[in-house]
Amino acid sequence: MGSFAFSKSFGVLCLVTLLMVSILHLVSGIGANWGTQSTHNLPPEIVVKMLKDNGFQKVKLFDADYDTLKALGNSGIEVMVGIPNDMLTTLGSLKAAEKWVSKNVSVHLSHNNVNIRYVAVGNEPFLETYNGSYLRTTFPALQNVQTALVKAGHGNQVKVTVPLNADVYESASSLPSGGDFRADIHNFVIQIVKFLSDNGCPFTINIYPFISLYMDSNFPVEYAFFDGNATPLNDGGIIYTNMFDANHDTLVWALKKNGFGNLPIIVGEIGWPTDGDRNANLQLAQRFNQGFMAHISEGKGTPMRPGPVDAYLFSLIDEDAKSIQPGNFERHWGIFAYDGRPKYSLNLGTTNSGSLVPASNVKYLERKWCVLKPDAKLDDPQIAPSVSYACARADCTSLGYGTSCGGLDARGNVSYAFNSYYQINNQLDVACKFSGLGTITKSDPSTPSCKFGITIEPYYGGAEQKFVYTRLLLSLILLLWTIL
């Protein structure tokens, strides 16, 4: 009787353990995009610790910075290394591709123990706004990088892929089942799809419900989220209550129609920004990202592609030097602020606390700010050019309608612009002159909704070293500008 009881208890324990492992597998496989287009990047070691503390198992990079990759060594984190679009032409040469693989993959696999699993050849190279600039250079680069990986003996561990924007496919019927690749690039995409399929590589797609809402004022807002509040879309009996599933399955149908229905899919980027637009705020970002995590944690996948979803949140950290051509929100995609502080509550299902863990050992500059002098007059003719100068060289994307600092008065707007420029330039005294309009204060000018930042200590390691002389030159230019 005792033996039976033990066997029964042991069996129950094993079952519970298996269930826990299964649940953890489903909710903990989330990845993050780690971009570095910032004026002040956190040291890579701090970011890697933050990734580990938050249970991220995968990270997607946009380049192959040596220090970044070295810091990921021995972390166990799966890495997708990136090749920027401006390198695609160069990698049309097999010799150049072999050199790139040797320097950016082989070295890190053999010497730094970096768990590189993918090489992203280009970043959304077929984006409509590029007007076909990379249509003829992407595939040759993809072929050559794959050949170089195999030649170096990495073919089984490291796979190539091409992260593409969801605008590469469309549906004539507005239903997922009508999905196919855009007619104008159909042959280019199929060429890549076939190559990926032949070589056991995944198709990587970036899906952004926020962009749909941003581009179309008539877009049904609830359809962007996962709460089930949207008017359902019926596609031949298959019901869609959120845009992610419908968009994802439009791709599945496009692949299926062209004979590649079983090609693995990675969601390379998905997220919601927190500032820079009326629909970009903390509340909606938290709602979207938490909803997405809950949606994929069940492991059900989408109607046309059941099973766990392989996805990378966009993004890990804000990047204040990103291009704002798509919109001011581009600098605010992070679930963490530039200094590694969590912006809002988000349960990734990977930590004991059920919340985000901030970066540790972050070093800041002094608690001081640059603001408009109290006695300065708003009709001073130097105000407008000074603000324009500051915003063109710093980050004023939190100013404007519907943004976090949209409620500031005129003096507040000027001070915000001045301070942004001052902080980006490492609190140099000369960066707060502005023709005598600026003054340095130790009294925090922030409001409940608008934070006037203090920057972190500059990191000059690795690729950052090349900016040292640029910053010194900038300081001289600043000095000359204020004198003249």
Side-chain angles (χ1 to χ4, degrees), residues 401-424:
Y401 174 71
T403 60
S404 64
C405 297
L408 294 176
D409 60 17
R411 299 190 73 88
N413 284 329
V414 176
S415 291
Y416 187 94
F418 284 7
N419 185 63
S420 178
Y421 184 79
Y422 174 68
Q423 301 294 340
I424 279 176

Side-chain angles (χ1 to χ4, degrees), residues 33-54:
N33 283 269
W34 176 3
T36 56
Q37 294 185 58
S38 302
T39 56
H40 288 72
N41 284 311
L42 286 167
E45 295 77 13
I46 288 179
V47 179
V48 171
K49 184 178 185 301
M50 186 170 71
L51 285 166
K52 293 176 70 176
D53 287 347
N54 285 281

Side-chain angles (χ1 to χ4, degrees), residues 102-155:
S102 174
K103 177 184 177 184
N104 300 295
V105 177
S106 300
V107 167
H108 294 291
L109 289 175
S110 60
H111 298 302
N112 297 329
N113 197 25
V114 182
N115 187 16
I116 298 175
R117 298 298 299 275
Y118 301 103
V119 174
V121 182
N123 181 46
E124 300 186 335
F126 293 174
L127 199 64
E128 281 189 280
T129 53
Y130 290 150
N131 297 317
S133 300
Y134 306 108
L135 282 179
R136 301 185 187 282
T137 56
T138 303
F139 184 62
L142 183 71
Q143 282 182 305
N144 287 334
V145 172
Q146 167 68 12
T147 300
L149 286 169
V150 172
K151 190 173 179 181
H154 310 315

Side-chain angles (χ1 to χ4, degrees), residues 448-474:
S449 64
C450 178
K451 180 175 177 58
F452 281 60
I454 299 172
T455 200
I456 58 178
E457 288 187 1
Y459 165 73
Y460 292 128
E464 284 284 299
Q465 289 177 349
K466 66 185 179 183
F467 296 119
V468 173
Y469 294 111
T470 304
R471 288 187 172 109
L472 290 174
L473 180 61
L474 176 62

